[in-house]
DNA sequence: CGTGATACAGAACAAACGTTCTATACTGTG
DNA sequence: CACAGTATAGAACGTTTGTTCTGTATCACG
């Protein structure tokens, strides 16, 4: 058996350890995991695992679990027309965690439950959850959470020569041109809706 | 200031560290985090954090991040009207990972890119991504991915005395009453849209 | 058989890490 | 002021952890 495949077949074992314990194994634990008694062997394995992205390292060399929880990697399909792959033929290569996909700055991102139908023409329904990223400069056409005239609201953001205007995505409501101070608290970076 | 509140106000800082580094801080790092120079102080703090569930420990006493990967835990806010908490006052108590929120069976869930506007009145736009859960029995009103008359489609699912019908969420399209075999490949369990 | 590559055992080593002890500064209370 | 409680500094200590070195066993190849 080639060394490469030896490492490959060991990766799932490491992943299971991480899944079970919520942290990376130590070299000693790697020894136990693979029934070897040499920390040298474990050290070499660990290097492979780090190289493969299965494990990480602290600045001081300690082994750490990778940043993403690999349990929630989802397979991505091109479109409905492409049909479904069978479970047997699937690999986890083209996968993506939702967190990874939608959230670039976790520490600056919030989830916000949507009330009202002011953005319904943008496909944002009451009961949806929006991801709001703070500290980002809004661009024309972005959907923002703003505090205008001391009231919170979610609207399209536009800025032109005449100033800033906030447009709803619903003809029932009117465009707002903030008279006093406008505080854009965050930019809506994603929409999620839980069905079923 | 009481000791309790001292610990409380420090919890968010620890959480942010875990968020940023994907692992627990060491005692030395706790010292740096709170501008203290004593590992004794850090040790006492660490004990409090463990007690509060903010951190965990290995069997050998090393500090660890809590079992759930908090890397992508997002703060949840009630609604727009509630406003934004300041970073200082935030705790990570009411948080949720997107994966955790949307996906109950990762191994049976797929992501599918939406093409076309047949479900636009349901707030599902072209370019959105839907989460499809396989092996679930569709209920009336569920959105399903189905293979009807050898073509893939996404539609509302209804079943009544006259059989099954598949309705689009767009008046431009017609309701389908599958003549031949109907294969419901999966039920749409979520919708996500990446903006910005 | 000889050679080289690989995997492993075992030990020694240094750095990192958490615990514990002693001492000092600050607080509030009587 | 005396006293107690708490937070902190600083150092010593033992354990854990990853690295490195030496040596052995196995296997493929010529």
């Amino acid at each position: 058996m080639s060394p490469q495949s030896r490492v490959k077949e060991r990766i799932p074992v490491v992943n299971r350890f991480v899944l079970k314990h919520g942290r990376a194994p130590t070299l000693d634990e790697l020894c136990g995991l693979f029934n070897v008694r040499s920390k040298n062997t474990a050290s070499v394995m660990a290097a492979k695992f780090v190289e493969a992205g299965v494990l990480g390292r602290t600045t001081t060399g300690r082994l750490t679990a990778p940043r993403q929880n690999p349990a929630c990697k989802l397979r991505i399909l091109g479109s409905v027309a492409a049909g479904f792959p069978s479970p047997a033929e699937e690999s986890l290569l083209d996968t993506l965690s939702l967190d990874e996909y939608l959230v670039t700055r976790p520490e600056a991102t919030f989830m916000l439950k949507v009330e009202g139908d002011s953005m319904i023409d943008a496909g944002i329904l009451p009961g949806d959850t929006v991801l709001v990223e703070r500290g980002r400069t809004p661009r024309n056409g972005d959907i923002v959470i703003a505090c205008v005239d001391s009231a919170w609201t979610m609207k399209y953001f536009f800025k032109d020569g005449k100033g800033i205007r906030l447009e709803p995505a619903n003809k029932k409501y009117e465009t707002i041109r903030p008279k006093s101070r406008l505080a854009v608290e965050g930019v809506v970076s994603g929409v999620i809706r839980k069905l079923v």
Side-chain angles (χ1 to χ4, degrees), chain A:
Chain A
M1 174 177 303
S2 83
Q4 275 77 8
S5 66
R6 177 85 62 116
V7 171
K8 265 220 174 76
E9 81 185 18
R10 282 175 165 175
I11 285 179
V13 180
V14 175
N15 278 330
R16 267 191 289 277
F17 184 99
V18 173
L19 229 54
K20 184 173 175 188
H21 295 89
R23 61 176 176 85
T26 65
L27 292 191
D28 276 335
E29 286 166 334
L30 282 175
C31 286
L33 234 43
F34 299 112
N35 286 313
V36 297
R37 262 172 299 282
S38 169
K39 291 178 79 171
N40 180 4
T41 305
S43 183
V44 173
M45 285 194 296
K48 305 265 186 189
F49 293 142
V50 171
E51 193 186 355
V54 179
L55 295 176
R57 275 192 199 279
T58 70
T59 53
T60 58
R62 299 301 206 256
L63 291 172
T64 66
R67 300 193 59 69
Q68 276 301 132
N69 178 356
C72 282
K73 296 274 183 176
L74 300 181
R75 285 154 288 228
I76 308 166
L77 280 72
S79 68
V80 178
F84 280 64
S86 77
E89 74 193 49
E90 287 151 16
S91 77
L92 237 57
L93 290 179
D94 288 346
T95 61
L96 196 62
S97 145
L98 290 182
D99 292 318
E100 203 176 287
Y101 174 55
L102 285 173
V103 183
T104 48
R105 295 194 301 142
E107 75 285 355
T109 304
F110 299 80
M111 291 167 73
L112 206 58
K113 205 92 175 174
V114 175
E115 294 176 357
D117 57 358
S118 72
M119 294 303 288
I120 201 163
D121 289 342
I124 302 179
L125 316 183
D128 286 3
T129 303
V130 290
L131 299 176
V132 183
E133 194 175 329
R134 252 176 163 168
R136 180 197 269 264
T137 306
R139 303 154 67 115
N140 272 354
D142 282 356
I143 299 173
V144 299
I145 305 292
C147 183
V148 54
D149 298 330
S150 66
W152 292 96
T153 180
M154 172 165 55
K155 294 280 189 303
Y156 280 120
F157 174 93
F158 290 101
K159 187 177 188 176
D160 55 25
K162 291 184 291 186
I164 290 167
R165 73 177 191 278
L166 299 176
E167 289 188 4
N170 188 335
K171 285 161 196 159
K172 286 188 351 196
Y173 300 94
E174 310 243 313
T175 296
I176 296 177
R177 290 191 172 273
K179 292 161 183 55
S180 64
R181 226 172 58 78
L182 171 72
V184 171
E185 195 63 39
V187 175
V188 175
S189 61
V191 183
I192 64 184
R193 182 182 310 142
K194 192 178 167 68
L195 305 172
V196 190

